[in-house]
Amino acid sequence: MPAGTTAGTPQVLLAHHLKHLKLPTVLREYDKVARECARDGVDHPRYLLRLVELELIDRERRMVERRIRAARVPAVKSFDTFDFTAIPSINKMLVLELARCGYILRQENIIALGNSGTGKTHVAIALGLAACQKGFSVAFTTAASLVSQLLEARDEKRLLSLQRELQAVKLLIVDELGYVPLSPTGAELLFEVFSQRYERGSTIVTSNLPFEDWTSVLGSERLTGALLDRLTHHVSILAVNGNSYRLRQSAGRRRATAAAEQNQATADEADPETGEIIA
């Protein structure tokens, strides 16, 4: 028998062993589940089954949380909070099908195009969250940030290491391509990332520019053509056009504030005893 099993109370030893085996949910729940099973007349195999199921569920939850943290998304957003009715141009059925993550298994890409503030980043993050929940590794970055990281890694002689990391991730999300023009070197490094992932991993790109305007960001028609050739070979394109979410929300807040101020002004003008407006 393992050393120490003959000394101490069973509870202390059980806690020690469960911690050593890294079964925190079993440690936390075994006593409560035992009481419930005793009350319900559940036999020992079903008692153990309940504990093991709880451990598996909790372990999967922790793994998903770790994948989400590793993805470094700016905010955790799902499709539960996305207003499809506000963006009629987007193909809801296609988006929900993509959320099943079959495209990742096929090493296909997604490109979301549309004007600013229409929810492209929300869609990309929600697809990334769905991928985390399905067990895929995800990395989120903006195009400008990614190029900055690549240039810094090149200067510090660790570019190959960073490129291998980017190639290994199952889903790479590159947000906001088109907002900041890239230097020739930066554009070439970004092209290398996409090229190395071609038919090896899935990439989501969001952009406020139509394809014909990408040359203004990448600075070279040749490079733009080669990049689009790889990105669009196996791709789902999402049109995300409409009125800006942020402008709508800002206008809504202004209307709510104005209404509250008007109500307060009306209340200040009312007779405190009768509630009637004082002329």
Side-chain angles (χ1 to χ4, degrees):
M1 296 177 64
T5 57
T6 59
T9 64
Q11 290 85 352
V12 172
L13 292 173
L14 182 59
H16 172 77
H17 296 327
L18 290 174
K19 288 178 181 178
H20 183 72
L21 292 170
K22 298 181 180 179
L23 298 171
T25 307
V26 173
L27 173 59
R28 186 178 65 248
E29 301 290 341
Y30 79 88
D31 189 52
K32 182 183 74 173
V33 175
R35 291 195 301 271
E36 292 173 351
C37 289
R39 180 196 64 206
D40 299 337
V42 175
D43 57 23
H44 287 82
R46 287 183 175 82
Y47 163 65
L48 290 174
L49 178 61
R50 286 190 187 182
L51 279 179
V52 172
E53 286 176 340
L54 288 173
E55 183 68 50
L56 288 173
I57 291 169
D58 203 37
R59 182 169 296 186
E60 177 59 26
R61 177 188 59 78
R62 294 194 301 271
M63 290 176 66
V64 170
E65 290 175 350
R66 284 196 294 271
R67 285 191 288 267
I68 293 173
R69 287 196 298 272
R72 296 184 177 180
V73 294
V76 178
K77 296 182 178 181
S78 71
F79 289 118
D80 293 338
T81 56
F82 186 81
D83 186 3
F84 283 96
T85 61
I87 310 294
S89 67
I90 195 168
N91 187 334
K92 180 178 180 180
M93 295 302 296
L94 173 59
V95 171
L96 296 181
E97 175 60 29
L98 292 171
R100 300 173 65 179
C101 299
Y103 71 98
I104 299 178
L105 295 173
R106 298 187 297 271
Q107 291 88 45
E108 296 174 354
N109 302 322
I110 299 172
I111 301 178
L113 301 175
N115 49 300
S116 179
T118 52
K120 299 183 301 297
T121 300
H122 189 147
V123 170
I125 290 175
L127 288 171
L129 178 63
C132 288
Q133 292 169 337
K134 293 286 187 180
F136 297 105
S137 57
V138 177
F140 178 97
T141 182
T142 64
S145 176
L146 177 56
V147 168
S148 178
Q149 292 176 54
L150 291 165
L151 289 170
E152 183 178 326
R154 183 203 58 174
D155 294 341
E156 296 176 357
K157 310 299 183 185
R158 53 182 181 83
L159 179 59
L160 289 178
S161 175
L162 177 57
Q163 288 175 330
R164 282 195 293 267
E165 291 177 14
L166 293 169
Q167 185 176 338
V169 71
K170 295 298 182 181
L171 175 62
L172 176 64
I173 302 173
V174 181
D175 196 28
E176 298 181 345
L177 178 65
Y179 286 82
V180 180
L182 305 177
S183 67
T185 303
E188 290 176 3
L189 289 172
L190 182 63
F191 169 78
E192 285 185 24
V193 170
F194 290 136
S195 181
Q196 289 164 356
R197 292 184 57 79
Y198 175 60
E199 294 189 330
R200 295 185 180 92
S202 294
T203 304
I204 296 177
V205 177
T206 75
S207 178
N208 63 319
L209 298 177
F211 291 139
E212 57 267 26
D213 292 340
W214 281 26
T215 302
S216 64
V217 177
L218 299 170
S220 163
E221 290 187 6
R222 176 191 59 80
L223 193 66
T224 302
L227 175 62
L228 288 173
D229 180 62
R230 287 159 175 78
L231 278 180
T232 62
H233 185 199
H234 308 289
V235 70
S236 295
I237 298 176
L238 302 176
V240 191
N241 285 303
N243 295 323
S244 170
Y245 269 155
R246 290 186 284 272
L247 290 178
R248 269 202 317 277
Q249 290 173 348
S250 177
R253 285 193 296 269
R254 289 196 299 270
R255 285 194 297 270
T257 300
E261 291 175 349
Q262 180 60 42
N263 290 339
Q264 183 60 50
T266 301
D268 291 342
E269 294 173 358
D271 187 294
E273 294 183 0
T274 66
E276 296 179 353
I277 302 299
I278 302 174

